[in-house]
Amino acid sequence: MLKDKHIIVGVTGGIAAYKVVDVVSRLKKLNANVEVIMTKNATKFVTPLTFQTLSLNPVYVGLFDEPKHYDVEHISLAERADMFLIAPATANVIGKVANGIADDLLTTTIMATRSKVVFAPAMNTNMYTNPIVQKNMEYLKELGYEFIDPGTGMLACQTYGPGRMSEPKEIVDYILDNFTNKKLSGKKIVVTAGPTMEPIDPVRYITNHSSGKMGYSIAKEANNRGADVVLITGPTNLEPPSRVKVVRVNTTREMFNAVEEYFSTCDVLIKAAAPLDYRPERVQEEKIKKDSVGMDELDIKFIRNPDIAAHFGKIKENRIIVGFAAETNNLIQYGKEKLYKKNLDFIVANDISKEGAGFKTDTNIVTIIDKEGNIEDYPILDKSQVAQIVLDKVYTLLNTKS
Ligand code: PMT
């Protein structure tokens, strides 16, 4: 996702430097080209070798070190940056940049770059709240420098308060956000994800194999594209994307209610969840004892749950509703039936019996069918790529409807 993007990471001398190791690793996994500049103090916390090994690039420390290439290093680094991240950003580096001091390779390069510069501050609470530091940050913001605000929590100095550097995932999401298109900004998108579960008694429940990966990928991508996203999720083990409103539900009826709450104000509803179609007619208040129901058989009567997509399909007006269809055979035929029956704009059908498709995997193999009868088959793709395709289609539809 960050292919061809050149990100310079400036590491300064704070304990949070250890977290930046994870930031660099995550950026590399997204195919960014990462180069690291460390201050001398930063090398006391993490070795240049660590960053060199992860970034697969030489690490720069001193202004007058033996050059890695035969050009003026701070100028060439500054010029090839698509983005400059300073993490952790100490009070010292913020103060230097705010006051035009360029006395080492990092601050000289920051001074010379025309790329976006983003600081991820990390420092003791008293330092962070010090009016001098606050004033320096305000001034830099006025000049267009950006800040990923630190979190509040227990700091390395054993005090509690603001100053803890943002988590690596949030920092990387911020960077991703910068490079992805914002075509869905101003749109409100509700995404459902994961399974639902229906209780049988206080101990037992039924559910299905949905992990939530497909829906979470869509929520993340929609948010990256600037949409205001509500993720309504059944029980999953996934970490929700940052900056997305998360509504957690268990049963299909709870999912229905949550969709109802956000439907009237949304532009798009994407139903990637796998809600249970049936629930036990009666939830036993006490644990079902083997002795009370007989040793060999247990009869449970199931009744229908509401069909969320079909219900909101009937009252959708100008909204776009996208459905998914999990099938094991007759993909196109069943997909089409659901598309029309639920009044969807298009349906993403996946044959869950195929290797690399459907539940739990990081990939999916989908066929998209729209109301005009167009059918598009896609090869095996990461769920994040499927999310991009789905949102490209949503964007086109939003434009045709407006
Ligand atoms: O979560 P993962 O592990 O990543 O797996 C992804 C997935 C296989 C769950 C996903 O790609 C998928 O196919 N989701 C839809 C699963 C499903 O419930 O399919 P269905 O054919 O039963 O339902 C068709 C559509 O109606 C779906 O959009 C579904 O969300 C919706 N539905 C179904 C039942 C119900 N009671 N209410 C609904 O709104």
Side-chain angles (χ1 to χ4, degrees):
M1 271 198 260
L2 291 174
K3 193 166 176 299
D4 302 328
K5 298 294 174 226
H6 207 115
I7 296 168
I8 308 285
V9 180
V11 186
T12 70
I15 182 61
Y18 83 91
K19 286 194 196 173
V20 182
V21 172
D22 190 15
V23 172
V24 170
S25 157
R26 285 170 185 255
L27 290 173
K28 284 302 290 180
K29 282 188 190 139
L30 293 169
N31 295 320
N33 189 8
V34 183
E35 289 190 279
V36 177
I37 305 176
M38 300 179 80
T39 62
K40 287 241 158 62
N41 287 340
T43 64
K44 304 259 174 19
F45 291 93
V46 179
T47 68
L49 184 61
T50 309
F51 285 117
Q52 183 181 310
T53 311
L54 285 169
S55 68
L56 305 174
N57 273 320
V59 169
Y60 303 85
V61 181
L63 193 51
F64 302 107
D65 289 351
E66 194 65 26
K68 314 280 194 270
H69 308 285
Y70 286 94
D71 48 20
V72 185
E73 231 147 47
H74 63 279
I75 301 296
S76 64
L77 278 166
E79 277 174 357
R80 54 181 183 262
D82 290 304
M83 185 190 259
F84 214 122
L85 168 74
I86 323 296
T90 55
N92 184 45
V93 78
I94 292 169
K96 278 190 192 176
V97 180
N99 288 284
I101 297 169
D103 64 350
D104 59 11
L105 183 61
L106 178 59
T107 46
T108 316
T109 314
I110 296 172
M111 213 55 77
T113 192
R114 284 172 175 255
S115 77
K116 179 177 278 194
V117 177
V118 180
F119 291 89
M123 65 196 82
N124 157 279
T125 301
N126 290 346
M127 290 172 83
Y128 183 69
T129 52
N130 185 309
I132 300 172
V133 175
Q134 289 293 323
K135 193 168 132 269
N136 285 338
M137 291 196 296
E138 280 316 309
Y139 178 55
L140 287 173
K141 282 181 194 169
E142 274 170 33
L143 296 178
Y145 290 84
E146 295 185 13
F147 284 80
I148 306 174
D149 291 336
T152 294
M154 186 56 84
L155 305 177
C157 54
Q158 299 303 305
T159 56
Y160 187 89
R164 193 167 74 174
M165 193 178 80
S166 271
E167 293 308 313
K169 179 176 177 300
E170 285 166 38
I171 294 176
V172 171
D173 282 350
Y174 189 96
I175 294 171
L176 261 180
D177 207 29
N178 178 74
F179 290 112
T180 40
N181 74 52
K182 291 281 171 286
K183 285 178 174 169
L184 292 175
S185 107
K187 298 296 172 199
K188 186 156 182 181
I189 301 190
V190 175
V191 181
T192 69
T196 57
M197 58 182 258
E198 299 288 350
I200 295 170
D201 70 9
V203 177
R204 305 172 178 94
Y205 58 84
I206 57 161
T207 187
N208 60 45
H209 293 294
S210 173
S211 64
K213 285 181 182 173
M214 191 64 251
Y216 278 53
S217 295
I218 292 172
K220 184 172 181 180
E221 182 62 25
N223 177 257
N224 285 344
R225 294 181 181 205
D228 180 6
V229 180
V230 179
L231 172 64
I232 299 172
T233 172
T236 72
N237 293 321
L238 303 177
E239 197 182 337
S242 25
R243 301 189 305 278
V244 158
K245 177 167 180 58
V246 180
V247 181
R248 295 186 188 278
V249 297
N250 284 317
T251 66
T252 297
R253 283 174 299 166
E254 285 169 10
M255 187 171 273
F256 180 98
N257 292 339
V259 173
E260 188 163 50
E261 186 175 341
Y262 293 98
F263 189 71
S264 62
T265 52
C266 83
D267 301 288
V268 183
L269 169 63
I270 303 181
K271 290 241 58 251
L276 293 190
D277 286 315
Y278 295 91
R279 66 178 184 276
E281 183 178 37
R282 209 169 309 117
V283 180
Q284 302 297 326
E285 277 175 22
E286 289 173 358
K287 181 181 173 186
I288 301 170
K289 303 298 287 177
K290 288 190 279 295
D291 301 345
S292 65
V293 293
M295 295 300 278
D296 299 325
E297 289 179 2
L298 169 64
D299 289 327
I300 298 175
K301 184 172 175 195
F302 286 90
I303 55 170
R304 275 302 292 263
N305 266 328
D307 187 320
I308 307 168
H311 174 87
F312 291 98
K314 284 195 192 112
I315 53 167
K316 72 187 223 192
E317 296 174 346
N318 216 22
R319 292 176 196 84
I320 290 167
I321 304 188
V322 179
F324 273 69
E327 307 295 347
T328 50
N329 57 322
N330 293 340
L331 190 71
I332 308 282
Q333 184 199 328
Y334 294 148
K336 273 187 177 169
E337 282 170 16
K338 287 175 185 171
L339 170 77
Y340 295 116
K341 193 168 143 222
K342 299 182 191 228
N343 195 21
L344 308 171
D345 288 83
F346 64 91
I347 194 157
V348 185
N350 37 203
D351 181 342
I352 54 169
S353 65
K354 279 192 189 150
E355 172 115 21
F359 295 123
K360 289 188 178 149
T361 52
D362 289 333
T363 54
N364 208 351
I365 307 168
V366 301
T367 298
I368 297 187
I369 310 165
D370 68 20
K371 279 196 305 196
E372 285 70 44
N374 300 311
I375 298 173
E376 289 164 334
D377 287 317
Y378 291 90
I380 184 163
L381 295 169
D382 275 354
K383 282 181 174 163
S384 60
Q385 292 172 301
V386 175
Q388 290 174 28
I389 292 165
V390 169
L391 290 166
D392 284 347
K393 288 189 93 60
V394 164
Y395 175 71
T396 310
L397 277 174
L398 282 167
N399 279 343
T400 24
K401 286 201 178 193
S402 62

